[in-house]
Amino acid sequence: MDHAQRCRTANAYVEDVSPGNGRARPRASFRSDAPVIELDGSWSFRPAAGLNGLTPGFEDPAFDADAWTRITVPSCWQLDGLPGPTRFGAPAYTNITYPIPVDPPRVPDDNPTGEYRREFEAGAGFAGGGAAVLRFEGVDSCFAVWLNGVRLGDGKGSRLPTEFDVTDVLCPGRNVLAVRVHQWSAGTYLEDQDMWWLSGIFRSVRLLARPAGGIADFFVHADYDHRTGLGTLRVDVEGEARLTVPELGLVDADPAGPHAVAGVTPWSDEQPHLYRGELTTATERVPIRIGFRRIAVEDGVLTANGKPLLFRGVNRHEWHPVTGRTLTHETMLTDVLLMKRHHINAVRTSHYPPDAAFLDLCDEYGLWVIDECDLETHGFSKNAWRGNPGADPAWRAALLDRAERMVERDKNHPSVVIWSLGNESGTGANLEAMAAWIRDRDPDRLIHYEGDWENCVCTDLYSVMYPEHSTVAAIACGQEPLTGDPANDARRRAMPLLLCEYGHAMGNGPGGLREYQELFEAHPRLAGGFVWEWIDHGIARRDADGTLYHAYGGDFGEPVHDGNFVIDGLLFPDRTPSPGLLEYAKVIEPVRIEAAPGRGIVVRNLHHTRDTGYLRWTWRLETDGVPVAGSEWEVPVIGPGAQDRADWPDSLARAVDTAGQGEHWLTVSAELAANEPWADVGHTVAWTQIGPGADSASQAVLPDASPGRGDGGRVAVPRRDGDTITLGAARFDAITGTLVRLGELPVRGPRVDVWRAPIDNDRFSPLGAAWQQAGLDRLRHKVLQVETGDDGITVRTRISPAGSDLALLADYHWSAEDGNRLVLTVDTAPTRPWPVPLPRLGVAMTLPGEFDQVSWFGLGPGEAYRDSDSAVRIGRYESTVEAMQTPYVRPQENGNRRHLRWARLTRFRPGGSGTGGTPPGPAGCGKRGIEINGSPWFDLTVKPWSTQALQSAAHTARLEPDGLVHLNIDLEHHGLGSGSCGPSVQPRHHLAAVPARFTLGIRPIEAEDGDGPG
């Protein structure tokens, strides 16, 4: 037998469909007072290209590995060296398509392999007469293990723990651990989970002492009866143990009980009460945390502790831009705290069980969890599901093994209320067997599987992905699509509807979250949903010049990849909240504040468990964005699920009655009255704004806005001088009618613009292709006529793409008031019905780049679009042009500020003669710039680069300012939607190509101008 044959024989486990050999049986994850040796840290490492390049004898304790390199465990070897050059291969991203030929269970000969060695010391009495167990928390995707030259076994199931009994091979003193890890294996076909393909020992490794007479395993059952307040506790223990839970009055009790305890506080996301106790034997003590709760489906409604439960959830992959799927405790805690602060109450662990420490945090801080099995075979859909493991008997043991290891590891977490069989793995008898095993092992939890909607035998929930709003509304009313099987249809109608994925958070978006939430809150059958997904999977890298950017699919030269489809989170890769997360947080606020008829508010408490007594209330009155009064507000404590009214305090009523002219807005906020484990006192939990015209109730109590500016002033008459027309402080090109100078300020434009740099929801939906097919990205402007008259200048134009008679007529009418204020009225009309909506409708213009200071009165402080504007509020704001850019990983339309009454772009000029960007100086300093007014308002984006540059760039970090400031002043935008993976923009948020008119005021700013509009 030659070397190659010996390698194939010795490594046959790689292509074996079995889950592994030599492993200990699955059990719960727990810590105890038994000794433990942590094996994380620096290991010797050697990469190999495949099975033919392995190191003979590397497992021998006498093997000399001094020449090998070093690698940190845990880690993913393809990311070693980031953010600089990677040392051991490169990551690859695919969404559905396998990056290897679909030839199960075989994998390519080109199979990157990592060989690891670690020496450690063990005391002579480490196991104490009991057993010693070597535990791997996660290894991707297949591995074999040797200790002191003895082969322990092998395993698959990357995101699940694997244990080996090493009692008979562990030595006092020096021990040598050797591990061989393969990127591709039979297990790869079960792990096609829309993420980067990475490899290595990526979770912790430790050696555990298991004392004789200790606790081999245990299962906490803690039921809660909401009708009586009775908690029932039973702990199934392998071994002779006693149970102590002081808060429950249990001391040295029989764990099996059952123990009936009156008046327990149930566990929920809002009040995650944990009863701390201990299981003890003569040789081991195991701390436990108990949460009483009951999850059920009652009359088609998902309930927790007897009350309807509405998930405000996210799908969460484990990700860090430098370490990949290797997360520290601090990073996991950051995720949990961010979720709690943004009102998220549930996590679907897409698409595998997370690090067990994350579930500990969910128990402690309060998050409902759908724990998902390490299973996805989506790539088989490319071949009509031929050979899919879910239906192939040869794979049954592997699928059952993954279900068992998930349940056994995580069964004692009160936060875990639903088991999920996996994701996008088709259907078949193996999935049904998984569900049957779980039901038998743990009948107190529900089972989820989205792919089973036609048969409904694997799931307790009717689960769908990315449905249209109209579909959700129909299902809520029992009008879901029929399967042709009356019995199945009846089962499905008795189930709650769960959107396991919706609101695809890719790039700028998602839009339409508010409309989904309105449906969830209106229909008890709707159990809510989980936005896809939590974080962008960008990989931190540096350009040759040292610039940090975040890579996505294709940036590592992958022959098969899915581009930036992996950049689809509510957090940017560095865990900065995106505008999408801020929007989601506002949409899912657990407390609703609305104007009441007359002088007051109505407060609805949407909490499942908690009353509003933990909140303090404040009000603030602003006029034209300037605060004029504010104070605290005594609002009655409102129970969960209830609502009440609060009349205005006298101080607010007096402030409103004495309000002068201007646009008045009342902001009411509910804040934390004391520190919570997840946020400090003063953190805003809910807020609303009430203003004139906001609704009928507010109109009755707040004064109307002051009348529009610029009406009735002295009107200038245009003067033609050669190729220039002068109108007030403005000069125009007499041939094109284009504004070229405003006072001393050079400008270009404005002219009608309908194109935006496509957002991901445009690019990945049919709409983006339709826009380009219609030529909206290459419109040409034709001047038809330039007229002057006593009332100003009129410029008539036609806008059309090459090769098409599709056209938009645009007329510009310019007039001048009070010497230096221009008024522009734009009329647009299509020459015939357009086959597509418009991306945007407004005008574009440029200014010199030194005008980099922006202030405005309107919605802010962040970006907003017509179907994603819940998180912004009316106010007066300041920013820089740089800060107004939203750093989406892949460049696209961003930064729109919505419904501005006025905006100013300025630069500081010390002594009236300085250069742009200079900070304020002594007397004589002033601002120069431009002011824009709306009638009544406009949308604004301000960029240091053109739309074309934004559209063409692959990474935001590679965009370079071009020395100009590019303004888009819009009447409106087309909505954002969720079309990258889900419904496109709702009809109500379409921007139809119909006749339109909008009016703007534009004037130069002089040094003596104040901070407000002139």
Side-chain angles (χ1 to χ4, degrees), residues 193-195 315-319 325 327 335 348-352 376 532-535 537 568 575:
Q193 288 138 326
D194 185 11
M195 58 188 181
N315 287 274
R316 175 186 177 269
H317 269 293
E318 293 185 302
W319 188 252
R325 284 195 286 279
L327 302 186
D335 281 348
R348 177 179 174 227
T349 68
S350 53
H351 296 295
Y352 42 82
E376 180 168 336
W532 185 269
E533 66 166 302
W534 178 236
I535 187 169
H537 297 206
D568 51 8
R575 281 180 162 74

Side-chain angles (χ1 to χ4, degrees), residues 53 84 113 173 255 290 392 405 473 499 576 595 598 601-602 620 698 780 785 794 802 863 887 890 898 914 926 933 993:
T113 296
I290 301 163
D392 185 343
R405 286 156 70 191
L499 275 57
T576 299
I601 56 172
V602 172
R620 184 178 73 251
S698 62
R780 301 293 184 90
Q785 188 176 34
T794 299
E863 73 177 26
R890 188 189 188 285
R898 185 160 166 78
N933 296 95

Side-chain angles (χ1 to χ4, degrees), residues 49 107 168 636-637 888:
V107 295
D168 295 335
V637 174
Y888 295 111

Side-chain angles (χ1 to χ4, degrees), residues 754 776 806-808 828-841 990-996:
V754 302
L776 302 193
L806 191 69
L808 192 71
T828 63
T831 56
R832 63 176 176 84
W834 280 39
V836 291
L838 300 175
R840 72 188 330 148
L841 179 59
H990 282 208
L991 180 58
V994 296

